[in-house]
Amino acid sequence: MLVKLVAEQGGDGLDLAGAIAISAPLDLAASADALDRGFARLYQQHLLDSLRRKIAAKMRVTPLPIELTPEQLKRLDSLWAYDNQVTAPLHGFTSANDYYRRASAGHLLKEIELPTLILHAADDPFMPANLIERLPAPSDAVRLEIADQGGHVGFVEARQGRLNSWLARRVARQLQDWMTIPHPLKRLASRS
């Protein structure tokens, strides 16, 4: 959502020095497909269990504008099925395909004007391994870093015999870099 906002709003439209996206599903359809294969199906099942519980609880309290019984909800066995029957109709999309196409940010990477750091791991089970190759080249404002390992928002490293968060260190370094860049709002604040 952040990458899509930054791309659509433009660099001048947001009061931000930059944006950082971590393990963002830039292509929702590709991510739904990736989660429906192999070991990643365990993650999909966990996500679906949580989503179904939340919607079932809402369905017990108030009627929802979807044509789905609690029994049918229980049988939704993929993110595609869930998004087609629940997410899309609840949020004004015609189908999961329509939702994935309109809500994905990957095709907008070339439009980004605001400095943006996108961190991914090649072994992220939420995304196909060749995801970045399938997207258009990002604009010069985008720095795309792909770690060999990191899973989905994992990015743990061994340093001095201990496990540490590479992600926290990398994000802190990026924020520090942006703090050294003159920013119009910092200049205005210092004059007052």
Side-chain angles (χ1 to χ4, degrees):
M1 288 172 36
L2 175 64
V3 174
K4 191 169 188 312
L5 174 70
V6 166
E8 291 176 344
Q9 196 74 23
D12 297 330
L14 298 170
D15 185 20
L16 299 172
I20 300 173
I22 302 161
S23 300
L26 298 171
D27 182 330
L28 296 173
S31 292
D33 287 343
L35 284 166
D36 202 30
R37 288 191 212 107
F39 185 76
R41 287 183 61 84
L42 293 174
Y43 291 110
Q44 177 179 243
Q45 193 57 49
H46 176 73
L47 289 170
L48 283 172
D49 288 346
S50 174
L51 291 168
R52 285 188 297 240
R53 275 193 305 273
K54 288 176 185 174
I55 288 297
K58 288 180 182 183
M59 289 171 81
R60 286 191 294 273
V61 174
T62 185
L64 296 177
I66 55 177
E67 296 181 27
L68 192 68
T69 67
E71 294 74 31
Q72 291 170 319
L73 176 65
K74 289 177 190 174
R75 290 193 297 270
L76 298 177
D77 63 350
S78 70
L79 285 175
W80 274 97
Y82 181 88
D83 288 335
N84 203 49
Q85 296 296 315
V86 179
T87 307
L90 281 179
H91 299 284
F93 298 99
T94 59
S95 65
N97 197 37
D98 180 42
Y99 163 54
Y100 293 160
R101 183 181 51 77
R102 291 175 41 202
S104 291
H107 67 283
L108 299 171
L109 293 178
K110 63 187 178 296
E111 307 295 328
I112 295 175
E113 298 172 358
L114 185 74
T116 301
L117 173 63
I118 299 176
L119 302 174
H120 272 287
D123 66 347
D124 187 335
F126 284 54
M127 285 161 257
N130 66 347
L131 173 67
I132 301 304
E133 298 163 15
R134 297 176 359 187
L135 299 174
S139 75
D140 291 341
V142 176
R143 179 173 175 86
L144 179 61
E145 295 181 12
I146 305 171
D148 290 335
Q149 298 175 320
H152 188 69
V153 197
F155 301 101
V156 176
E157 67 181 347
R159 295 185 82 195
Q160 300 173 336
R162 300 180 69 188
L163 292 179
N164 293 298
S165 174
W166 172 88
L167 181 61
R169 190 168 56 81
R170 178 62 188 98
V171 169
R173 188 175 84 228
Q174 187 63 54
L175 293 174
Q176 191 65 34
D177 288 350
W178 284 338
M179 295 299 288
T180 62
I181 297 172
H183 189 272
L185 293 177
K186 276 180 30 181
R187 283 194 301 261
L188 288 174
S190 64
R191 288 186 203 156
S192 340

